[in-house]
Every structure is written in C-alpha cells, then in structure tokens.
C-alpha cells in the first residue's frame, strides 16, 4: 500500500476533534459546578476533614437554596437516622414523600427510608404500614425482612409466619425453619393459657412445616407427658434421633423419667448408653452417670465415666471424673482431690458455655432463640469444648 500525503491530515484532524471534545466537557463541568451553591463545596470540605456537624449544616443550606437536590435529601436523611436524630430524618423523608413532582422510583425509595425512620423511632404501627405499601416495589424483599423484625419484636407470631410464606414466594427460598420456630412460640403461648389442644395443633403444624423441628418434638413430648401419656412422650423424644441426634442430650433426663414412670428404667439405661456410644455428649454422660450410680452403684458409674473419658478426652469430662472420685475419696486424700478438681474447674468455666454460631454470644443456658442476635436455632446443644469453638 502506497503512502499518500493526504493521510498526514488525519492526525491533526483527530487531535483537533479530541481537543474540542475536551473543551466541551470541561465547559459543561464548569457550568454545572458554578450552578451548585457554595454551601455544597463547603459541606464536602467539612466531610473530608471529618467535621460532620458542620458538613450537615452546610448541606442543609444547599437543600434550602436548591430543593431539587433529591439525592442530597436522601443522603442527609440516612445520615440523620444513623446519628440517632430520627426526628430530622423523618422530616426530611416526609418532605420527599409529599412532593408531587417525585417520580415513582424516588417515591418508593422515600417510603422505604421513611419506614426505617419509623422503625428506628419505635413507631412500629406506622413502620409496619409503610413497609406493607412497598409489597410491589424493588424494596419488597427488604421490606419483608423489616416486617419480620417488627412482628418478632411484637411477638405477633401468626403475622411472622405469613411473612415467611410471602418471602418464600418472592425469593423462591423456603423459610420453613423460621416458620416452624414461630409455630413453637404460638404453642408455648397456648400452653401458658392452658389450651393444650391448640398447642398440639401448632406443634403438628411446626413438624409439617419443618420435619426436622427438634424444638417441636421436645415440646410435643412434654405435652404428652403432662397428659399422662409417657409412651407417646417417649416416641416424640426418640424421634429427635432422626431429626438431629446432637439434640438428644436435651431430652435424656426426660426420657429417663418417662421410662421410670413405666417401671422400665433398665430399658432407659440401655437406650441412653446407645445414644452415648453413637452420639457422645458430656451432658448426656452426666445424666447417664447419675442414673447408673442410682441403679448399679458408684463403682459401675465411675467405670462408665472413666471409659468414656478414655474414648473422648476432655477437661469437662475430667472435672466430672474428679467430682465422682470425691464421692468415695478417703479423708486423707479428699483435700488433694478437691484441690485438683477446683483447679480444673477454673479452667473449664469458659468451656462449659453454649455459643451462638451466628454472633458468638455465650450463655450458660441453652437457647432456641439467641438473646443477642435473635437468630433461631443458632445454638448447638453442645458445650464450647465439645463444639470445637476457640476459647
């Protein structure tokens, strides 16, 4: 291909076009910047220097001068809410909601922000109503999350169940575990009102919703036993092995007492020993130790405990072994055994806690509903040493 002289004109032409485009962009940027109030740039400067109070005051001036700064309204409102100035956030977002010139998307965004303001202010009825208005909007899923939070605060478990159903339809992800937990709460309220028939319906609903609902099986067993139906209670509690065997320690003592009421304590010991063999647990071992000691004597119980400690070594198990040894320790050795037991106990205090897998909150008592993060079924029924949590 031969080189033509006219091609040399292409390069200066492209350069000129680029220079012209840059001049136009710069001119547009300058025009837009000059249209912004001085307070806007002052606010930015304050933010860069981490002077938030002065930045807020400057941005408020911008809003007063130019009410069309929609995004700045949203930013200020959210900032007020995070700082705890809920009244100012409410006024900011209410002003947006009431504007007739706001398009549909911005209107829905303003409603979503306003609902969060109501929730933060503790005005739950208005928060609920506003979130409900967002059922057919891009904020539908987030609105349902907040509604679920509201209903749990108000202990309105029936509405909470309805929300989980709507969330399942919206997202395609089943919320059966949470729905079953809410059914158990309804059952507990019915039992408090001495409505055992209603409680049974809720527990059956929980199991139909989430067949692995251990809490429902545990409560159903308690309900059967209170109605003097120990066989049915035993069946309900034994079902937990098929749901999630790690929860068996929670019903070990219940099973033992139910079998005792039927005069079948030896059968209970065989069952608990099988559980301990297949699903070793310190809490289960404690129940089994006491039962064997009462039925077969201290030496048999001590031998059982020692064998378990060899099979599954743990400091909590060692502490239990030392406590057992104290029961028949000679007087001249009791002080030494107590000293070792006390030293081990100081070490095991933090190991004997239950710990939430969601937020890490520790508690001495097992919880179905975490007191800290409010998660459901987030506590493994095992002490921190068994569960392998770091200290």
């Amino acid at each position: 291909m031969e080189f033509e002289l006219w091609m040399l004109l292409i390069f200066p032409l492209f350069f000129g076009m680029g220079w012209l485009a840059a001049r136009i962009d710069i001119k547009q940027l300058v025009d837009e910047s000059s249209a912004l109030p001085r307070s806007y740039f002052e606010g930015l400067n304050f933010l860069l220097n981490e002077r938030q109070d002065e930045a807020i005051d400057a941005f408020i001036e911008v809003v007063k001068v130019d009410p069309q700064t929609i995004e700045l309204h949203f930013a200020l409102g959210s900032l007020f809410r995070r700082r705890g100035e809920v009244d100012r956030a409410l006024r900011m977002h209410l002003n947006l909601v009431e504007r007739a010139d706001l398009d549909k998307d911005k209107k829905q965004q303003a409603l979503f922000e306003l609902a969060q303001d109501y929730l933060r202010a503790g005005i739950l009825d208005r928060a609920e109503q506003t979130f409900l208005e967002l059922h057919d909007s891009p904020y539908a899923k987030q609105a349902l999350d907040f509604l679920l939070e509201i209903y749990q605060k108000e202990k309105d478990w029936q509405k909470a169940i309805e929300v989980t159903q709507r969330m399942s339809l919206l997202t395609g992800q089943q919320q059966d575990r949470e729905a079953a937990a809410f059914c158990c709460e309804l059952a507990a309220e019915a039992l408090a009102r001495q409505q055992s028939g209603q409680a049974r319906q809720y527990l059956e609903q929980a199991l139909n919703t989430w067949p692995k609902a251990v809490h429902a099986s545990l409560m159903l067993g308690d309900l059967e036993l209170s109605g003097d139906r120990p066989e049915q209670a035993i069946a309900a509690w034994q079902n937990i092995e098929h749901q999630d065997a790690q929860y068996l320690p929670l019903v070990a003592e219940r099973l033992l007492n139910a079998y005792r009421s039927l005069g079948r304590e030896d059968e209970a010991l065989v069952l608990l020993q099988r559980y301990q063999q297949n699903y070793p647990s310190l809490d289960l071992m404690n129940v089994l130790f006491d039962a064997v000691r009462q039925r077969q004597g201290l030496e048999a119980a001590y031998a059982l405990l020692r064998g378990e400690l060899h099979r599954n070594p743990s400091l909590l198990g060692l502490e239990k072994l030392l406590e057992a040894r104290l029961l028949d320790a000679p007087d001249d050795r009791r002080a030494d055994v107590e000293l070792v037991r006390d030293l081990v106990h100081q070490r095991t205090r933090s190991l004997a806690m239950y710990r939430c897998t969601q937020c890490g909150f520790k508690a001495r008592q097992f919880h179905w509903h975490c007191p800290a993060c409010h998660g459901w079924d987030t506590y493994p029924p095992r002490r921190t040493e068994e569960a392998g949590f770091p200290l």
Side-chain angles (χ1 to χ4, degrees):
M1 179 180 178
E2 295 184 4
F3 183 77
E4 301 289 345
L5 291 176
W6 64 266
M7 293 182 180
L8 295 174
L9 298 176
I10 295 176
F11 298 106
L13 179 62
F14 283 151
F15 177 79
M17 291 174 65
W19 177 83
L20 182 61
R23 291 284 295 174
I24 293 173
D25 289 342
I26 293 172
K27 183 177 185 302
Q28 182 180 355
L29 181 61
V30 170
D31 290 343
E32 290 178 355
S33 299
S34 60
L36 291 171
R38 178 182 177 83
S39 301
Y40 180 81
F41 296 100
E42 291 178 349
L44 288 177
N45 185 54
F46 287 138
L47 277 182
L48 291 173
N49 289 285
E50 298 183 357
R51 295 159 64 181
Q52 290 192 6
D53 291 335
E54 293 165 281
I56 288 174
D57 292 337
F59 285 137
I60 289 175
E61 287 301 317
V62 177
V63 171
K64 289 178 181 178
V65 173
D66 184 7
Q68 300 303 315
T69 51
I70 304 298
E71 295 302 331
L72 191 52
H73 277 73
F74 283 122
L76 277 174
S78 298
L79 185 58
F80 286 145
R81 186 172 62 243
R82 288 197 300 271
R83 287 164 56 90
E85 300 179 57
V86 185
D87 289 342
R88 301 179 79 178
L90 278 167
R91 288 197 299 271
M92 190 71 67
H93 292 134
L94 273 171
N95 178 55
L96 287 173
V97 170
E98 292 169 357
R99 285 179 57 163
D101 61 334
L102 217 60
D103 62 42
K104 182 180 178 181
D105 292 342
K106 294 299 182 184
K107 184 91 166 181
Q108 290 174 337
Q109 183 181 354
L111 280 172
F112 182 60
E113 296 294 334
L114 181 63
Q116 292 180 75
D117 296 338
Y118 284 137
L119 181 59
R120 183 68 178 271
I123 311 174
L124 300 185
D125 55 342
R126 291 192 180 182
E128 176 189 1
Q129 185 57 45
T130 310
F131 281 128
L132 286 171
E133 293 180 32
L134 295 165
H135 68 92
D136 189 22
S137 76
Y139 303 96
K141 170 60 170 64
Q142 294 164 282
L144 287 175
D145 288 334
F146 281 117
L147 282 170
L148 195 58
E149 178 184 337
I150 291 172
Y151 295 145
Q152 289 183 76
K153 282 182 178 179
E154 295 181 330
K155 299 187 184 300
D156 194 334
W157 306 116
Q158 194 60 58
K159 285 187 178 180
I161 292 172
E162 294 171 5
V163 168
T164 60
Q165 293 170 345
R166 290 169 57 187
M167 290 175 72
S168 297
L169 290 173
L170 181 65
T171 65
Q173 298 177 349
Q174 296 301 312
Q175 307 287 324
D176 295 343
R177 183 190 293 268
E178 292 80 3
F182 301 147
C183 288
C184 290
E185 294 300 316
L186 285 170
E189 291 180 352
L191 288 171
R193 298 190 300 267
Q194 298 184 342
Q195 296 174 340
S196 57
Q198 184 70 63
R200 181 184 297 276
Q201 290 180 17
Y202 286 131
L203 293 175
E204 290 173 352
Q205 180 182 346
L207 289 168
N208 288 331
T209 302
W210 178 251
K212 293 186 177 182
V214 173
H215 193 190
S217 292
L218 186 148
M219 293 182 68
L220 186 59
D222 289 344
L223 182 61
E224 299 288 10
L225 192 64
S226 67
D228 197 24
R229 294 181 293 273
E231 291 277 10
Q232 290 86 339
I234 289 171
W237 292 327
Q238 285 184 321
N239 185 48
I240 292 174
E241 181 180 9
H242 307 293
Q243 294 174 309
D244 192 337
Q246 67 172 337
Y247 286 89
L248 285 171
L250 299 180
V251 295
E253 194 162 0
R254 288 174 166 87
L255 281 166
L256 181 62
N257 291 333
Y259 274 111
R260 277 175 177 166
S261 70
L262 295 169
R264 294 156 52 188
E265 186 172 350
D266 287 340
E267 189 176 338
L269 292 180
V270 172
L271 178 65
L272 294 182
Q273 285 177 330
R274 180 175 71 80
Y275 285 165
Q276 182 63 25
Q277 182 69 28
N278 295 333
Y279 323 107
S281 160
L282 291 170
D283 289 338
L284 181 56
M285 187 66 238
N286 288 339
V287 174
L288 188 56
F289 172 85
D290 292 336
V292 170
R293 182 165 65 93
Q294 293 178 24
R295 191 73 172 173
Q296 302 173 13
L298 180 58
E299 281 305 316
Y302 186 79
L304 179 70
L305 183 58
R306 186 175 56 222
E308 182 60 30
L309 188 59
H310 279 295
R311 192 164 71 99
N312 295 296
S314 68
L315 285 176
L316 287 171
L318 176 59
E319 182 183 8
K320 183 65 178 179
L321 189 73
L322 292 169
E323 289 178 357
R325 191 76 284 174
L326 274 172
L327 295 174
D328 66 345
D331 292 340
D332 60 336
R333 294 186 180 179
R334 179 174 294 275
D336 293 338
V337 178
E338 284 182 343
L339 176 61
V340 176
R341 191 275 314 272
D342 291 343
L343 289 173
V344 173
H345 177 70
Q346 291 177 15
R347 176 62 178 165
T348 58
R349 284 180 182 177
S350 62
L351 299 175
M353 308 282 279
Y354 295 104
R355 179 176 175 178
C356 175
T357 56
Q358 189 163 291
C359 70
F361 184 79
K362 293 182 180 180
R364 294 197 176 278
Q365 180 183 354
F366 176 80
H367 294 281
W368 295 102
H369 189 209
C370 178
C373 69
H374 307 297
W376 293 94
D377 295 339
T378 55
Y379 274 88
R382 293 179 175 276
R383 310 292 177 168
T384 51
E385 182 182 23
E386 293 179 282
F389 286 117
L391 299 183

